[in-house]
Amino acid sequence: MILSPFEWTVAKRYMVPGRSEAFITLVGAISLVAVMLGVAALIIVMSVMNGFRAELLDKIVGLNGHAIVQSYDGKMTDWREIVKEARETPGVVRATPLIEMPLAASHRGMLRGILVRGNAPEDLKRLEPNVILGDLSRLQPDERNVAIGARLAENLGVRVGSTITITNPEGRATPFGTVPRQIGYEVVAIIEVGVHQYDELFVVMPMEQAQTLLMLGDAVNNIEIKTTDPETVQTTLQPLADRLRGRAVVTDWKQINSALFSALAVERVAMFIVLSIIVLVAVFNILSSLIMLVRAKTRDIAIMRTMGASRKSMIKIFVTAGFVIGALGTGAGVVLGFVFLQFRQAIVRGIEFVLGVNLWDPEVRFLTELPSRTDPGEVIGIVVMALVFSFLATLYPAWKAASTDPVQVLRYE
């Protein structure tokens, strides 16, 4: 829509009415701020939701792989053959044995439930970026050393060099019954994955030590698999699942965490709809301000019509006046949204300090910090949606202005 110099001059004049229309100016300013806040809220919430899903997926998948192969009886003696089959499957990047078992650990009278993980050497190396204290290289197959999660270390009162006792209730049978197996391990490293649930449970040790603790012999109970694309993991591993049918079951990350990620998807859609309604309500302010402007400028419109201004010119003038408000609000909302996301953690801490409440509890949110991942496509979609709403809100007032009959308005002038 190209405006003539006359139309653009009048439109600029109507964007900032004079002192006599101060109330209209106030409503227009409120409209701009409302659109800005609505767009910023949409960008912030969608980016945080995307970041939460992405961070959670990265940490869970980075620790557990994209899929797990489990035997039906919990003991996989032919795991080397299965690992070979998995590595030969197209699309599989990595396949390694894994031992995982819930047990209990104690230290100086403190008892906590734990999740023992026995990892192969290459998997232990991948944990090195998560070490906050100690030395992961001391996890050797012939030494009783372990690395534990940061939250578990706090709960047990453990530090590097301390000894924890791990209890396996399935001990050896004696004439007096089954005696639980208890073994002491030195803590040589403390790790922080970033997922509170894991940092509170994990005890990592070499696979050979886990086999000894659980009396598995040379067997394992899981095989961890990573593929080229986590989103297509089910399709990629379907041939392997067919070959292993009757021997083992393949469970991908979507199935393991189905409840969590389904809830995130539903919440994401719900938040987008609710916040879109907020933007729509904000745009109604543009509609109301333009209606008041048309009523206040009825005489001016009639005079311009008698001087030769066409109906089309009137529509262009009022559509431009309202659309510019929406466009400015949308642009300001994008800037505000990115500024908030850039300093989100400091803002959260500031609000917590002022209100004296914990807004981001890792035990509830799974992650230790507020995540963010902005999708450019979503931002463009939000901007387009806000601009379309703003444009639609200008059509009725513009049509009313164009429908003004100069004869009726100026009859008694």
Side-chain angles (χ1 to χ4, degrees):
M1 185 172 64
I2 302 175
L3 276 67
S4 67
F6 159 72
E7 293 165 349
W8 180 241
T9 301
V10 177
K12 286 194 295 184
R13 172 67 181 82
Y14 285 172
M15 287 179 207
V16 185
R19 293 184 178 180
S20 59
E21 293 92 16
F23 183 71
I24 298 176
T25 304
L26 176 62
V27 174
I30 292 174
S31 303
L32 190 151
V33 172
V35 173
M36 176 187 71
L37 294 177
V39 170
L42 254 178
I43 292 175
I44 292 168
V45 170
M46 297 309 295
S47 297
V48 170
M49 293 295 293
N50 290 339
F52 190 84
R53 183 185 185 277
E55 286 291 318
L56 204 56
L57 176 60
D58 289 345
K59 292 181 183 298
I60 290 176
V61 169
L63 205 61
N64 293 326
H66 296 157
I68 296 291
V69 179
Q70 297 173 304
S71 64
Y72 288 105
D73 60 358
K75 193 173 183 180
M76 200 179 299
T77 55
D78 58 344
W79 61 270
R80 290 182 177 83
E81 179 183 344
I82 296 176
V83 166
K84 183 180 178 181
E85 289 185 47
R87 290 174 177 171
E88 292 173 352
T89 303
V92 172
V93 177
R94 186 181 79 238
T96 55
L98 169 69
I99 297 174
E100 192 170 86
M101 186 68 67
L103 297 176
S106 60
H107 174 70
R108 294 183 178 179
M110 300 293 292
L111 181 66
R112 288 289 186 273
I114 62 171
L115 192 62
V116 169
R117 285 176 61 93
N119 287 115
E122 57 267 32
D123 291 325
L124 291 175
K125 290 181 180 179
R126 277 189 284 272
L127 287 174
E128 288 181 356
N130 303 110
V131 176
I132 58 175
L133 288 173
D135 183 7
L136 211 59
S137 64
R138 293 184 59 190
L139 293 180
Q140 299 297 328
D142 56 346
E143 296 181 9
R144 291 183 178 178
N145 296 334
V146 295
I148 70 173
R151 303 290 85 74
L152 179 60
E154 292 176 3
N155 294 337
L156 287 175
V158 169
R159 57 186 178 181
V160 174
S162 300
T163 299
I164 62 172
T165 301
I166 298 179
T167 302
N168 178 12
E170 295 185 6
R172 297 189 180 278
T174 69
F176 303 99
T178 301
V179 177
R181 186 177 178 83
Q182 293 184 322
I183 301 179
Y185 294 89
E186 182 184 350
V187 176
V188 296
I190 296 176
I191 59 176
E192 187 171 35
V193 178
V195 179
H196 189 275
Q197 183 180 4
Y198 293 161
D199 291 334
E200 194 176 34
L201 292 176
F202 272 3
V203 173
V204 180
M205 62 178 64
M207 188 176 70
E208 293 80 0
Q209 285 293 330
Q211 288 173 331
T212 301
L213 172 65
L214 299 172
M215 297 180 296
L216 292 175
D218 189 43
V220 300
N221 55 14
N222 297 289
I223 292 175
E224 179 183 284
I225 296 177
K226 185 177 181 180
T227 62
T228 53
D229 185 1
E231 298 297 336
T232 60
V233 61
Q234 190 170 11
T235 305
T236 302
L237 296 181
Q238 189 59 49
L240 178 64
D242 293 338
R243 290 197 300 271
L244 295 180
R245 187 170 287 116
R247 298 161 56 196
V249 59
V250 180
T251 308
D252 60 62
W253 67 269
K254 294 181 180 179
Q255 296 169 317
I256 297 172
N257 305 283
S258 59
L260 176 60
F261 285 100
S262 296
L264 285 176
V266 172
E267 186 177 358
R268 185 170 174 271
V269 173
M271 293 300 293
F272 182 83
I273 293 174
V274 170
L275 293 174
S276 297
I277 293 174
I278 293 176
V279 175
L280 182 61
V281 171
V283 167
F284 274 111
N285 289 324
I286 298 177
L287 175 65
S288 61
S289 65
L290 282 182
I291 290 175
M292 288 189 292
L293 182 63
V294 169
R295 290 180 63 85
K297 299 296 183 181
T298 300
R299 185 173 178 276
D300 293 355
I301 294 169
I303 293 173
M304 285 188 288
R305 289 296 310 280
T306 59
M307 294 176 66
S310 65
R311 290 176 181 269
K312 186 177 181 181
S313 293
M314 292 298 101
I315 291 176
K316 285 183 179 181
I317 289 170
F318 285 94
V319 166
T320 301
F323 183 76
V324 168
I325 294 175
L328 291 175
T330 301
V334 172
V335 173
L336 178 62
F338 280 109
V339 169
F340 185 97
L341 292 173
Q342 181 67 31
F343 301 100
R344 62 189 182 278
Q345 204 59 41
I347 293 173
V348 169
R349 292 195 184 101
I351 295 174
E352 290 178 340
F353 177 77
V354 172
L355 299 181
V357 296
N358 187 4
L359 298 178
W360 190 261
D361 187 355
E363 295 185 12
V364 178
R365 311 293 183 182
F366 292 98
L367 303 179
T368 53
E369 290 189 352
L370 180 67
S372 172
R373 183 168 296 186
T374 303
D375 183 353
E378 279 187 351
V379 174
I380 293 172
I382 292 169
V383 169
V384 170
M385 179 190 69
L387 294 178
V388 169
F389 283 171
S390 300
F391 175 75
L392 294 177
T394 65
L395 295 181
Y396 176 72
W399 174 78
K400 289 293 291 182
S403 301
T404 301
D405 185 356
V407 174
Q408 294 294 329
V409 175
L410 301 176
R411 175 181 293 180
Y412 302 106
E413 292 292 333

